Amino acid sequence: MSTVRAAGLTKRFGTVDAVRELDFKVTPGITAFLGPNGAGKTTTLRMLLGLIRPTFGTATIDGKRYAELRHPRRVVGAVLEATGFHPGRTARRHLEILAVAGGLPLARVDQVLDQVGLTDAARRRAGGFSLGMRQRLGLAGALLGDPGVLILDEPANGLDPAGMAWLRGLLRGFAGQGRTVIVSSHVLAEVAQTADRAVVISGGRLRYCGPLEGMSEDGLEAGFLRLTEEAQR
Amino acid sequence: MTVRAEIRKLLTTRTPLILFAAAQLLVVAGISGVLARRDNVGDAATQRDAVAHIGLVSIFALILGIMAVAGEHRHRTITDTYLTTPDRARVVLAKLGVTTVAGLVFGVAAAVVALASAAVWLAARNESPALGSGDLWPTIAGGIVWNALFAAIGVGVGALITNLIGAIAAALGWLAVVEGIVAQLVGDPAKWLPFALGSALDALPTATDGPPQWLAGLVLAGYAAAFAVAATLTTVRRDVT
């Protein structure tokens, strides 16, 4: 049962405030992380994961900054890149490297390949993968440490309808085990089917944090547009 | 864990193997050029000029080092690397260690290839290798060390210039153009620049007025250490966007 928390989280790039004083808490279940392009979603996720250093404030997972986690891959699995592989490396080799670096048993590699349906493609070079297969391989890497938290940046990109249904099932199952999922997305229809709660940011500021149905009485899209329009720059 | 992962990274793509093979081919070609065409191939000095090609392979070791870091940025695998090992200094150190050893392997292999191809050419011309002259071994050892140190410097360059193409262009441009021009501009102090130091370390024919071999090696190691420190300091602070 993991909790992800942002407290006063702020990131300034030069003179631009990418993210300003974000406060939110994400608890077990599926939380959609929503916002228009350029709202600061990716910057926020990367601050949660220690890849971007906050200008002010803190981002913590179960009270610890990412860099303080002793076995980060056992605590958090993340997919931030649509394609985060060397094109000449096979899927299995890619995952083996992550397992070795993370101190995880190599037996996990075959398990996650099976979990994401890439067993038959395990010995193929990732450079030849379709976008959907890349998403699956990214997810396999995130699942490698059997973490309690999943953080996914636009995981539905490139998935066909069957892939979307599969992803939805995977996330539902994951959340059903009492784990925590944060998933950023632009596809509101998909979010409506999957998420329990939403965090909405726009212009780098928090607009909403709460149950999905509480966002709006007249549909998710209307609510989303209302929450984000006043902040358009 | 981090070190073992870095070794796997090196061995699971084709590029390092291609660089390795290209380096060895260059050694054979360079040695053949000297020993097939020159007259006095029995002289230890001529043979030293031939085996000095071991050190020139360090350009490939340099590129290997650059790719170890900038290649990860190019393919966006750096995100997963830091997610797995948030202690980025450890990542840089692991890359430095593994790549330096790989550079050493490049150099040792080049030495073996150099001696073998020299033996073939000398036998064909009824001469024998001047292995006892004391001229050959310091050049061979210097060439191997040059490879290892340039591999380490490559890691530093790749960490400072994370754009792969930019880093390789900067490194090769430095070696091919900048260092030569700087040398003309500043004169004598230019012998303390990296490629000039490598040349002195390797006793290249072009390095006639450089520092003694041991000093060249020491200063080049100083460059590698300075690059390592700069690489670590920038890497731990950089935002990975």
Side-chain angles (χ1 to χ4, degrees):
Chain A
M1 301 292 266
S2 293
T3 306
V4 177
R5 187 190 293 266
L9 198 59
T10 300
K11 180 63 186 183
R12 194 170 290 154
F13 290 115
T15 56
V16 180
D17 280 351
V19 172
R20 250 182 294 179
E21 291 165 27
L22 281 190
D23 291 290
F24 62 81
K25 190 174 105 177
V26 178
T27 48
I30 300 179
T31 299
F33 193 43
L34 308 174
N37 288 325
K41 298 192 295 295
T42 298
T43 301
T44 303
L45 295 183
R46 283 182 177 264
M47 282 195 281
L48 289 176
L49 294 162
L51 295 167
I52 292 180
R53 178 193 293 244
T55 310
F56 301 109
T58 54
T60 53
I61 295 148
D62 291 336
K64 286 182 179 155
R65 288 185 303 113
Y66 190 86
E68 294 168 346
L69 298 173
R70 292 199 57 178
H71 297 288
R73 288 203 94 99
R74 294 183 192 271
V75 179
V76 188
V79 184
L80 298 176
E81 310 282 357
T83 295
F85 327 105
H86 190 294
R89 205 173 269 138
T90 67
R92 171 176 273 119
R93 294 254 190 261
H94 168 77
L95 294 171
E96 283 173 354
I97 287 169
L98 294 181
V100 167
L104 304 167
L106 282 174
R108 280 295 294 159
V109 170
D110 284 322
Q111 290 171 10
V112 292
L113 279 167
D114 183 53
Q115 206 175 345
V116 302
L118 280 180
T119 301
D120 292 338
R123 291 180 190 285
R124 282 174 50 193
R125 294 174 196 282
F129 279 14
S130 67
L131 194 51
M133 290 168 83
R134 287 163 200 237
Q135 293 284 23
R136 286 167 186 263
L137 181 53
L139 267 168
L143 295 171
L144 207 52
D146 199 17
V149 181
L150 262 189
I151 296 181
L152 310 174
D153 200 4
E154 299 282 351
N157 273 355
L159 289 180
D160 56 18
M164 296 278 259
W166 165 80
L167 177 66
R168 197 183 306 135
L170 185 118
L171 298 185
R172 277 261 155 250
F174 196 85
Q177 296 164 344
R179 307 194 213 205
T180 305
V181 181
I182 301 177
V183 51
S184 85
S185 181
H186 277 127
V187 191
L188 292 177
E190 178 58 33
V191 167
Q193 288 191 58
T194 318
D196 311 306
R197 283 181 303 279
V199 172
V200 182
I201 67 171
S202 185
R205 285 180 177 279
L206 188 72
R207 300 291 158 185
Y208 180 80
C209 178
L212 199 61
E213 56 268 25
M215 247 176 86
S216 145
E217 285 157 5
D218 50 355
L220 192 56
E221 186 176 72
F224 175 80
L225 292 175
R226 206 164 36 242
L227 282 166
T228 56
E229 72 186 341
E230 66 249 43
Q232 293 296 332
R233 285 171 290 187
Chain B
M1 297 184 299
T2 316
V3 168
R4 281 195 296 136
E6 288 303 323
I7 295 171
R8 274 177 190 257
K9 283 177 195 170
L10 200 62
L11 297 179
T12 49
T13 65
R14 280 179 290 200
T15 320
L17 298 176
I18 292 169
L19 283 175
F20 181 82
Q24 308 313 322
L25 279 176
L26 188 85
V27 171
V28 174
I31 284 184
S32 303
V34 174
L35 295 183
R37 301 178 72 95
R38 289 216 207 153
D39 296 326
N40 50 349
V41 294
D43 292 359
T46 309
Q47 291 183 17
R48 191 188 60 199
D49 290 356
V51 299
H53 284 90
I54 298 166
L56 287 181
V57 167
S58 61
I59 291 171
F60 293 91
L62 181 72
I63 292 174
L64 186 78
I66 290 172
M67 292 186 61
V69 188
E72 284 225 51
H73 283 268
R74 164 145 167 75
H75 298 301
R76 312 293 299 151
T77 50
I78 196 71
T79 299
D80 252 332
T81 297
Y82 291 156
L83 287 180
T84 312
T85 314
D87 182 353
R88 298 186 198 173
R90 221 169 84 192
V91 174
V92 176
L93 283 177
K95 284 183 183 295
L96 269 172
V98 170
T99 312
T100 305
V101 171
L104 214 54
V105 170
F106 270 47
V108 170
V112 171
V113 168
L115 288 173
S117 46
V120 170
W121 277 112
L122 292 170
R125 299 187 65 178
N126 288 317
E127 297 281 0
S128 55
L131 295 176
S133 80
D135 261 359
L136 243 43
W137 294 111
T139 287
I140 291 170
I144 292 172
V145 172
W146 188 3
N147 271 279
L149 291 177
F150 259 39
I153 290 176
V155 171
V157 173
L160 293 171
I161 310 173
T162 52
N163 180 307
L164 180 65
I165 306 297
I168 290 180
L172 295 185
W174 173 268
L175 297 180
V177 183
V178 180
E179 192 160 321
I181 291 173
V182 172
Q184 288 180 14
L185 210 61
V186 302
D188 193 53
K191 69 184 181 197
W192 301 107
L193 296 175
F195 190 80
L197 287 168
S199 308
L201 177 60
D202 191 39
L204 272 188
T206 49
T208 45
D209 53 356
Q213 205 187 19
W214 66 269
L215 185 56
L218 209 61
V219 179
L220 197 58
Y223 270 105
F227 269 105
V229 170
T232 309
L233 290 179
T234 51
T235 301
V236 296
R237 318 185 117 260
R238 181 180 287 129
D239 286 335
V240 182
T241 52

